[in-house]
Amino acid sequence: MKEYKTITSVKGPLIFLERAKNVGYGEYVKITLSDGSSKRGQVLETSENKVVVQIFEGTRNIDKNTYVKFYGDVLKFSVSYDMLGRVFSGSGNPLDGGPKVIPEARLDINGLPINPYKRAPPHEFIQTGVSAIDGMNSLIRGQKLPIFSGSGLPHNELALQIARQATVLDCTESFAVIFVAMGITEEEAKYFISDFEKTGALEKGIVFLNLASDPSIERIIVPRIALTTAEFFAFNYGMHVLVIMTDMTNYCEALREIGSAREEVPGRRGYPGYMYTDLASIYERAGRIDGKSGSVTQVPILTMPGDDITHPIPDLSGYITEGQIIVSRDLQRKGIYPPIDVLPSLSRLMGKGIGKDRTREDHKSVSDQLYAAYAEGKDLRGIVSIVGKESLSKSDKLFLDFADDFEKKFIAQKSNENRRIQTTLDIGWEILSKLPEEKLLRISDELIGKYIRRFKDAPNKAY
Amino acid sequence: MELTYGVINLENKGIIYRVSGPVIAATNIDAKMNELVRVGNEGLFGEVIEIDHDKTIIQVYEDTSLLKPGDEVTTTGMPLSIDLGPGLLGSIYDGVQRPLPKLFEQMGEYIKRGAEAPGIDRKKKWEFFPLKKKGNKINFGEIVGYVNENEHTKHFIMSPPNIQGEIIDIVGQGEYTVEDILCKLDNGAVIKMYQRWPVKVPRPFKDKMIPNAPLVTGKRIIDVFFPLAKGGTAAIPGPFGSGKTVTQQQLAKWSDTKVVVYIGCGERGNEMIDVLTEFPKLVDPVTGGPLMDRTVLIANTSNMPVAAREASIYTGITIAEYYRDMGYDVALMADSTSRWAEAMREISSRLEEMPGEEGYPAYLSSRLSSFYERAGIVVTLGGKIGSVTVIGAVSPPGGDFSEPVVQNTLRITKTFWALDSNLSQKRHFPSINWLDSYSLYYDSLKEWFESKISIDWDRTRAEAMRILQKEAELQEIVQLVGADALPPDQQFLLDVARMLREIFLQQDSYHEVDEFQSLKRQFSLLNAIIRFSRLGNNAIENGVEIDKLLKLESRTEISKVRYRKDFESKIGLINETMSKEFKALLGEQ
Ligand SMILES: Nc1ncnc2c1ncn2[C@@H]1O[C@H](COP(=O)(O)OP(=O)(O)OP(=O)(O)O)[C@@H](O)[C@H]1O
Ligand SMILES: [Mg+2]
């Protein structure tokens, strides 16, 4: 351990020191202020005449006379099985008045990359009970599937519904939910926690809270602490851990703040050029490991600034994650919950978890056909708004009606409605059965024979 | 350039002055540009990327946490080089050619730093078959013998490109390790089963030829409309989720090539394990052996060190060139070149270089072109003909093709497969946009298709393209007035265009029959649709109502024939039905 009192400047979340010898890159730093309070930090750059440190709790009250302690090690976090059921702050201190956690292990919060050769391909379907997800964009254990939303849209409600309802068919293994708040309001946080308490989810859950009023730089470490915890439960205790992180947009803002304090050359729209790599170091911590029974599944939530999916935050996320669930303002306006727009949504791992022996043999065909038909119906809406419905052919009119049916019957459901996957697929067949059979190009004759006829004979009996 | 088998270095030591992420500066060291150095107590690998007065700037291929000023830096006397020899096929490497299974043995499930593992096994024995005798003169890069790398691949052992001479001694047929000396030359040089090659230096060849044969991929939209030539280059840009990776993996599976080098550069770990679990079970369409036997994987995922991401592209292309030098056709997929460019940008910004466009370094363009320049069909030093075809994915921010990486790539590559998220959102796959994409090879490949597949190839293709282009024009009118307002022949054209899109351009990558279609089948399918179009137009001219055409049995039948194993007989039947149906329609008039 080394201690220096050589701060030359304090700028935003950063402090700069001179004549600090033998300081390692990434080293863990602690500062004790005159009032006895302490702050933690990490070395961003080190050289013989300059050391740059980011301070997670913010630099308020630091001055040139402050002592800075260097620990000769990277930032580690103490984890323990007893963390289940507890609420922690963004830097991992208990917030629930409970006792301090007695550590079982101290782990580097940055984790280590999983050797790609030892990853196990995710393939277990998680039933969320939400048709737009299960039927069209299935979530798979070990996947990273973010929710792209906009401010004021019901993404929190959706995330909670997923957390409440998520189950793996025919499986009794233990699971846990880790909830990570980054810069959300106290009200939002209360909403989450009270729901967790009400439904009993907290017993099997851990909450890390960094609120809007907390230091923004803490947002850099909170997802890392949470994922370190998740990996510990997944790979030491063989548990299936679902990590919900909200709001990644606030995380990225914190990243930008550090970048500008360092006077870095900014990348697109002022975000650091290394944001892709940085986000990857979070998202790639989802997955399964060959030979280990647990898994880490991530559902990060981010609000797209200006509802713009090409904004660097959703854009870089989409390039790393294994799909995205898009929450749409249009559907919200129509009063549809959950307002998930399935067309731009995607689950890249879906194919691995569905089908015969997993969900049902017809799953892929139904989903492909629903996509194609809904896309066609939506295109026709555009035409109708200009030339009117009369000019459409009979079959076009059916597609137009289909799009409405799809939104009202398939997508829409109650926030406490937990649909079985069979029900989801049956609703799909029911609405498809109103289209001309020869237009159902994505479905084999055999499946049409087996399923569609049922609904022609007995409409509305599916569920 | 000197080529050595071991590390014979005159060590030169310096110390770290500054550490900033993957970039360090060292002082008091005498290192050459691009020289490999070892950094810190753990001897992490790094490469000299700039020499600035008394400071030597080094990019480190591994995590630099806890490196500090004063730590030692040692030169190795060599540039970053990789092992080339038997045992490459079927391997999975990180960006600097360390075998990932070896890293697992050494340090478990996670990648830690400081591991050393040679690219090919030094102890494994291979049966060597000599093809030369004592007294033979050996030229640069000439073949002296071979080993069977696997059941289907003869791995030719060549003299390194800078070694020639007269054989004074050569071993007989028998089992040897890659370290054993196989051949001694009169000038003291020796030939072993493997050679080392600096990755940033293109391997030399005698002559570059003009590509003249297609890389057959089994994908209709590619083979028919935008073919890639063996030895050619292709760019496949598209926003996230539009199908770059799936397309590249499909080409890795189905292309008629001898060797595939697949580079996962800064992308997802799960995508690599996908290939690793799937390929050993799949059948190589060329040899019938396991697909993994022709594949080399380079995996530097997005959470692995950034500098090694930069190296992975060079490691991959060097392996590709090496198999080319044996006279083989090699296809290389790089997913994604944007991550490579971003790695350059990240390193360059740590150097505080003057940034060019969008923060990329000014040398972005020259790095990209020197990479794609390493593609080509060539006469090798040993006098054989071999090729390297390069297919690079590009991941433009916000899906905007005007950004620097796409633009600089398009200036060099000759095939452009433009992925379109409007198509992928409708689940139209492969979501290659048929109006924006192009292939500059088509004209020189036309003759090949006409002589090998059908004399009508070009005519049929052109007719199909005309219909698709006309559709795009008509769509604009339809948006304004509705389809009903169009005359019957144009309504019919819209229907045929729809058939082309849904039946021909779309192809299901997850259907065991549809995922690969031979050129002959591709042509018969296209021909049947175009024939339907011609007969239909004639019928309309003769007053047949369009509704009747849409209900014909042959039209419905065409739509599902691509899924059938008995495609040939079925398409024959469809053509017969079509003739009968149209005859009957005209008879009614
Ligand atoms: N040819 C295809 N057939 C069927 N599905 C496809 C095809 N191409 C893409 N898809 C679907 O689209 C998804 C995304 O494709 P892919 O992973 O190739 O996108 P990408 O362009 O590589 O995205 P990123 O830039 O984020 O890596 C796939 O998971 C698959 O569901
Ligand atoms: Mg991809």
Side-chain angles (χ1 to χ4, degrees), chain B residues 130-142:
Chain B
L131 294 169
K132 295 283 177 199
K133 288 200 285 287
K134 191 174 162 180
N136 284 162
K137 278 225 162 37
I138 299 296
N139 254 319
F140 297 126
E142 195 168 332

PDB file of all heavy atoms in Angstrom, chain B residues 130-142:
ATOM      1  N   PRO B 130       7.986 -37.746 -48.730  1.00  0.00           N
ATOM      2  CA  PRO B 130       8.832 -36.844 -49.516  1.00  0.00           C
ATOM      3  C   PRO B 130       8.456 -36.896 -50.991  1.00  0.00           C
ATOM      4  O   PRO B 130       8.004 -37.932 -51.488  1.00  0.00           O
ATOM      5  CB  PRO B 130      10.237 -37.401 -49.301  1.00  0.00           C
ATOM      6  CG  PRO B 130      10.056 -38.806 -48.847  1.00  0.00           C
ATOM      7  CD  PRO B 130       8.682 -38.936 -48.258  1.00  0.00           C
ATOM      8  N   LEU B 131       8.589 -35.761 -51.677  1.00  0.00           N
ATOM      9  CA  LEU B 131       8.351 -35.723 -53.122  1.00  0.00           C
ATOM     10  C   LEU B 131       9.606 -35.320 -53.873  1.00  0.00           C
ATOM     11  O   LEU B 131       9.612 -35.199 -55.080  1.00  0.00           O
ATOM     12  CB  LEU B 131       7.220 -34.735 -53.438  1.00  0.00           C
ATOM     13  CG  LEU B 131       5.813 -35.115 -52.925  1.00  0.00           C
ATOM     14  CD1 LEU B 131       4.854 -33.946 -53.074  1.00  0.00           C
ATOM     15  CD2 LEU B 131       5.274 -36.343 -53.635  1.00  0.00           C
ATOM     16  N   LYS B 132      10.703 -35.079 -53.119  1.00  0.00           N
ATOM     17  CA  LYS B 132      11.958 -34.662 -53.752  1.00  0.00           C
ATOM     18  C   LYS B 132      13.068 -35.602 -53.309  1.00  0.00           C
ATOM     19  O   LYS B 132      12.931 -36.329 -52.329  1.00  0.00           O
ATOM     20  CB  LYS B 132      12.311 -33.233 -53.305  1.00  0.00           C
ATOM     21  CG  LYS B 132      11.331 -32.190 -53.763  1.00  0.00           C
ATOM     22  CD  LYS B 132      11.518 -31.842 -55.235  1.00  0.00           C
ATOM     23  CE  LYS B 132      10.444 -30.840 -55.626  1.00  0.00           C
ATOM     24  NZ  LYS B 132      10.197 -30.729 -57.017  1.00  0.00           N
ATOM     25  N   LYS B 133      14.165 -35.523 -54.085  1.00  0.00           N
ATOM     26  CA  LYS B 133      15.297 -36.380 -53.763  1.00  0.00           C
ATOM     27  C   LYS B 133      16.554 -35.551 -53.540  1.00  0.00           C
ATOM     28  O   LYS B 133      16.616 -34.376 -53.914  1.00  0.00           O
ATOM     29  CB  LYS B 133      15.551 -37.338 -54.942  1.00  0.00           C
ATOM     30  CG  LYS B 133      14.488 -38.406 -55.072  1.00  0.00           C
ATOM     31  CD  LYS B 133      14.980 -39.591 -55.892  1.00  0.00           C
ATOM     32  CE  LYS B 133      15.036 -39.311 -57.383  1.00  0.00           C
ATOM     33  NZ  LYS B 133      13.713 -39.254 -58.046  1.00  0.00           N
ATOM     34  N   LYS B 134      17.525 -36.193 -52.983  1.00  0.00           N
ATOM     35  CA  LYS B 134      18.834 -35.575 -52.838  1.00  0.00           C
ATOM     36  C   LYS B 134      19.313 -35.105 -54.218  1.00  0.00           C
ATOM     37  O   LYS B 134      19.140 -35.810 -55.210  1.00  0.00           O
ATOM     38  CB  LYS B 134      19.809 -36.619 -52.280  1.00  0.00           C
ATOM     39  CG  LYS B 134      21.121 -36.053 -51.846  1.00  0.00           C
ATOM     40  CD  LYS B 134      21.957 -37.122 -51.168  1.00  0.00           C
ATOM     41  CE  LYS B 134      23.405 -36.651 -51.165  1.00  0.00           C
ATOM     42  NZ  LYS B 134      24.292 -37.599 -50.531  1.00  0.00           N
ATOM     43  N   GLY B 135      19.860 -33.902 -54.255  1.00  0.00           N
ATOM     44  CA  GLY B 135      20.343 -33.383 -55.537  1.00  0.00           C
ATOM     45  C   GLY B 135      19.339 -32.501 -56.241  1.00  0.00           C
ATOM     46  O   GLY B 135      19.701 -31.704 -57.111  1.00  0.00           O
ATOM     47  N   ASN B 136      18.042 -32.617 -55.895  1.00  0.00           N
ATOM     48  CA  ASN B 136      17.028 -31.734 -56.497  1.00  0.00           C
ATOM     49  C   ASN B 136      17.278 -30.296 -56.084  1.00  0.00           C
ATOM     50  O   ASN B 136      17.667 -30.022 -54.958  1.00  0.00           O
ATOM     51  CB  ASN B 136      15.619 -32.112 -56.024  1.00  0.00           C
ATOM     52  CG  ASN B 136      15.097 -33.362 -56.708  1.00  0.00           C
ATOM     53  OD1 ASN B 136      14.166 -33.986 -56.248  1.00  0.00           O
ATOM     54  ND2 ASN B 136      15.736 -33.753 -57.812  1.00  0.00           N
ATOM     55  N   LYS B 137      17.011 -29.396 -57.026  1.00  0.00           N
ATOM     56  CA  LYS B 137      17.093 -27.966 -56.689  1.00  0.00           C
ATOM     57  C   LYS B 137      15.730 -27.506 -56.189  1.00  0.00           C
ATOM     58  O   LYS B 137      14.701 -27.802 -56.801  1.00  0.00           O
ATOM     59  CB  LYS B 137      17.468 -27.166 -57.943  1.00  0.00           C
ATOM     60  CG  LYS B 137      18.936 -27.150 -58.248  1.00  0.00           C
ATOM     61  CD  LYS B 137      19.343 -25.721 -58.594  1.00  0.00           C
ATOM     62  CE  LYS B 137      20.826 -25.452 -58.503  1.00  0.00           C
ATOM     63  NZ  LYS B 137      21.730 -26.531 -58.919  1.00  0.00           N
ATOM     64  N   ILE B 138      15.733 -26.812 -55.085  1.00  0.00           N
ATOM     65  CA  ILE B 138      14.475 -26.325 -54.505  1.00  0.00           C
ATOM     66  C   ILE B 138      14.424 -24.820 -54.617  1.00  0.00           C
ATOM     67  O   ILE B 138      15.351 -24.131 -54.209  1.00  0.00           O
ATOM     68  CB  ILE B 138      14.397 -26.718 -53.008  1.00  0.00           C
ATOM     69  CG1 ILE B 138      14.419 -28.237 -52.856  1.00  0.00           C
ATOM     70  CG2 ILE B 138      13.145 -26.145 -52.354  1.00  0.00           C
ATOM     71  CD1 ILE B 138      13.229 -28.908 -53.473  1.00  0.00           C
ATOM     72  N   ASN B 139      13.321 -24.336 -55.189  1.00  0.00           N
ATOM     73  CA  ASN B 139      13.128 -22.901 -55.293  1.00  0.00           C
ATOM     74  C   ASN B 139      12.401 -22.367 -54.074  1.00  0.00           C
ATOM     75  O   ASN B 139      11.860 -23.125 -53.283  1.00  0.00           O
ATOM     76  CB  ASN B 139      12.293 -22.601 -56.536  1.00  0.00           C
ATOM     77  CG  ASN B 139      13.166 -22.011 -57.610  1.00  0.00           C
ATOM     78  OD1 ASN B 139      14.034 -21.170 -57.315  1.00  0.00           O
ATOM     79  ND2 ASN B 139      12.951 -22.452 -58.831  1.00  0.00           N
ATOM     80  N   PHE B 140      12.322 -21.051 -53.986  1.00  0.00           N
ATOM     81  CA  PHE B 140      11.517 -20.437 -52.920  1.00  0.00           C
ATOM     82  C   PHE B 140      10.102 -21.009 -52.960  1.00  0.00           C
ATOM     83  O   PHE B 140       9.485 -21.077 -54.016  1.00  0.00           O
ATOM     84  CB  PHE B 140      11.412 -18.922 -53.128  1.00  0.00           C
ATOM     85  CG  PHE B 140      12.728 -18.210 -53.058  1.00  0.00           C
ATOM     86  CD1 PHE B 140      13.142 -17.392 -54.101  1.00  0.00           C
ATOM     87  CD2 PHE B 140      13.545 -18.335 -51.941  1.00  0.00           C
ATOM     88  CE1 PHE B 140      14.341 -16.713 -54.035  1.00  0.00           C
ATOM     89  CE2 PHE B 140      14.750 -17.659 -51.865  1.00  0.00           C
ATOM     90  CZ  PHE B 140      15.156 -16.853 -52.918  1.00  0.00           C
ATOM     91  N   GLY B 141       9.589 -21.420 -51.821  1.00  0.00           N
ATOM     92  CA  GLY B 141       8.181 -21.840 -51.736  1.00  0.00           C
ATOM     93  C   GLY B 141       7.861 -23.107 -52.498  1.00  0.00           C
ATOM     94  O   GLY B 141       6.700 -23.380 -52.780  1.00  0.00           O
ATOM     95  N   GLU B 142       8.851 -23.904 -52.830  1.00  0.00           N
ATOM     96  CA  GLU B 142       8.564 -25.118 -53.587  1.00  0.00           C
ATOM     97  C   GLU B 142       8.186 -26.277 -52.653  1.00  0.00           C
ATOM     98  O   GLU B 142       8.650 -26.379 -51.524  1.00  0.00           O
ATOM     99  CB  GLU B 142       9.794 -25.505 -54.421  1.00  0.00           C
ATOM    100  CG  GLU B 142       9.451 -26.529 -55.482  1.00  0.00           C
ATOM    101  CD  GLU B 142      10.583 -26.691 -56.505  1.00  0.00           C
ATOM    102  OE1 GLU B 142      11.348 -25.716 -56.716  1.00  0.00           O
ATOM    103  OE2 GLU B 142      10.684 -27.784 -57.083  1.00  0.00           O
TER     104      GLU B 142
END
